[in-house]
Amino acid sequence: MLPVASPTVLGIESSCDETAAAVVRGGRDVLSDVVATQHELHERYKGVVPEIASRAHVERILPVVREALRQANLGWEAIDAVAVGHRPGLIGSLLVGVAAAKAIAWSLSKPFLGVDHVAAHLFSGLLDRPICAFPALGLVVSGGHTSLYRIDAPTDLHRLGGTIDDAIGEAFDKAATILGLGYPGGPKLDALARRGDDRAHAFPVPYLGKDSEGERRLDFSFSGLKTSLLYAVRGVPDRTSRGREPHFPRSEADLDEATRANLAASFERVAVGHVMRNLERALDRQRVGTLLVGGGASANTRLRQELATLAGQRSLDLRLPQLRWCLDNAAMIAGYAAFRVQAGESDPLSLAPDPLSALR
Ligand code: KG4
Ligand code: ZN
């Protein structure tokens, strides 16, 4: 395929519970951006139910794509390439977006591209902004990933560390459940933490030891912090309950509002602090002038504030996505695909959705 200098890319995203399509020109001009969320379908189950998600994607994918073209005020002939998030994600959800993208690309005789969802999150801070300088440091903080990357070029990424258990967004969601806040938890915990005293409770700071060169590891862990919150809310379960459901002396319904907010703020301080310490360690070791951040938890108020402060102190070009591009969306898929379209690259129509593999 010939390189296209400023390609108009149709992006499709369906990896989890958002059905999304967008048209992006030249990797940064977002001509349209449509997201059909399924939150109302999953709320009563307190999490995403894969079968319900797949069926909802099937129903919504074509109306969402048509709406993206309508909002961009373009016909099909204006599309230079069709890109889709093809990994990682729920297999049934991925299949719907990948099948739609292939069918559209084939019918238009246009290039088809599969995009890594995590890479797309990392570069979402470039949408509607000029290109940044490389090398950069990349931080992805989502419901499924918490990882650091050295980025020498948009398609040349090296993973420096990642979570060994929960992702930070997952930890926020579980903390919200422990505090009785409901689904989706991250934004609710964020709002509650704003009203609390972040020093009211001393939660343990995760420590992951050193690597083979004696340097502190750049990995993350949130599961111990989550258990500490559980015990702070419900008390320590009795020891005789081994093998059975643990019996806790209290429930989250016993919390008064001030304590609930204080616990949320204290949990958030330690979780965000853990990310920031690792980020600073990585910055001490890598000579970079740019910091790319993305993923659902990059919408977190405290994390955004601490990142802005750090960027000011270290004179970094911080690329935080606008709030609407923190969560899953298709503009980031189309935006990231443009780097490959501009290089004349595409993928075969035999490319399969890949639920488990992610950017290494
Ligand atoms: O990127 P995303 O939409 O999906 C994945 O690729 O995983 O991220 C979703 C995650 C959820 O865990 C959600 O709780 C978290 O992002 N999240 C937040 C906030 N908004 C969304 N976490 C903390 N504070 C927020 N304001
Ligand atoms: Zn995501």
Side-chain angles (χ1 to χ4, degrees):
M1 169 197 153
L2 289 174
V4 182
S6 186
T8 300
V9 180
L10 170 65
I12 293 177
E13 157 62 35
S14 71
S15 65
C16 190
D17 62 340
E18 322 280 2
T19 319
V23 180
V24 178
R25 184 167 288 156
R28 50 177 276 223
D29 294 336
V30 182
L31 305 184
S32 66
D33 174 29
V34 180
V35 181
T37 167
Q38 302 179 7
H39 282 168
E40 75 288 357
L41 299 179
H42 302 285
E43 197 164 8
R44 56 194 271 230
Y45 304 102
K46 299 192 170 71
V48 178
V49 183
E51 277 308 314
I52 293 176
S54 313
R55 189 181 314 177
H57 284 307
V58 171
E59 288 166 0
R60 293 162 189 216
I61 191 87
L62 289 179
V64 164
V65 168
R66 285 202 191 94
E67 181 62 14
L69 282 163
R70 196 193 65 77
Q71 286 185 14
N73 209 10
L74 293 175
W76 294 105
E77 72 291 342
I79 301 299
D80 293 315
V82 183
V84 62
H86 80 294
R87 72 172 201 188
L90 300 169
I91 182 63
S93 292
L94 289 170
L95 269 167
V96 179
V98 169
K102 285 179 180 175
I104 294 168
W106 179 78
S107 66
L108 298 175
S109 301
K110 295 293 179 184
F112 161 80
L113 295 99
V115 168
D116 184 293
H117 181 93
V118 176
H121 268 309
L122 273 175
F123 289 83
S124 56
L126 299 190
L127 292 170
D128 264 357
R129 309 256 321 258
I131 186 75
C132 63
F134 294 96
L137 199 73
L139 169 69
V140 62
V141 280
S142 71
H145 295 85
T146 305
S147 309
L148 280 166
Y149 296 88
R150 178 188 167 88
I151 305 173
D152 288 309
T155 52
D156 187 7
L157 298 96
H158 308 271
R159 191 168 176 276
L160 303 172
T163 182
I164 62 163
D165 41 54
D166 293 345
I168 187 169
E170 188 182 2
F172 281 139
D173 292 337
K174 288 178 179 170
T177 301
I178 292 169
L179 290 167
L181 305 183
Y183 167 88
K188 291 190 173 166
L189 187 116
D190 185 348
L192 182 62
R194 306 279 69 74
R195 304 201 294 272
D197 171 3
D198 66 3
R199 298 271 164 188
H201 295 269
F203 289 119
V205 178
Y207 175 72
L208 288 150
K210 298 188 173 166
D211 61 20
S212 53
E213 275 139 45
E215 301 254 43
R216 285 285 293 272
R217 281 169 61 188
L218 298 177
D219 293 323
F220 302 89
S221 168
F222 297 97
S223 69
L225 181 58
K226 178 190 65 191
T227 306
S228 300
L229 176 69
L230 178 69
Y231 288 3
V233 171
R234 302 190 60 188
V236 180
D238 69 42
R239 287 169 161 271
T240 55
S241 64
R242 188 162 294 183
R244 289 181 281 124
E245 277 286 292
H247 175 76
F248 289 94
R250 301 189 295 276
S251 96
E252 81 277 354
D254 298 326
L255 293 174
D256 63 66
E257 278 317 298
T259 308
R260 201 186 301 269
N262 290 346
L263 286 164
S266 302
F267 179 91
E268 184 192 66
R269 177 175 63 79
V270 177
V272 169
H274 179 39
V275 170
M276 295 303 295
R277 291 304 88 69
N278 265 2
L279 183 57
E280 291 194 51
R281 284 187 194 109
L283 287 167
D284 289 342
R285 296 175 207 173
Q286 308 286 333
R287 291 189 151 272
V288 297
T290 307
L291 178 55
L292 301 179
V293 183
S298 66
N300 179 264
T301 308
R302 182 175 192 127
L303 181 62
R304 292 178 83 85
Q305 283 166 354
E306 295 201 13
L307 285 167
T309 304
L310 178 73
Q313 286 163 350
R314 297 198 181 219
S315 304
L316 291 166
D317 178 10
L318 171 64
R319 298 305 185 95
L320 258 176
Q322 295 178 29
L323 283 178
R324 63 187 174 132
W325 292 319
C326 291
L327 294 173
D328 288 349
N329 66 87
M332 67 179 191
I333 301 289
Y336 186 67
F339 291 119
R340 291 186 60 211
V341 177
Q342 280 159 348
E345 294 177 18
S346 65
D347 290 314
L349 289 177
S350 57
L351 184 80
D354 195 351
L356 295 178
S357 81
L359 194 64
R360 289 301 306 174

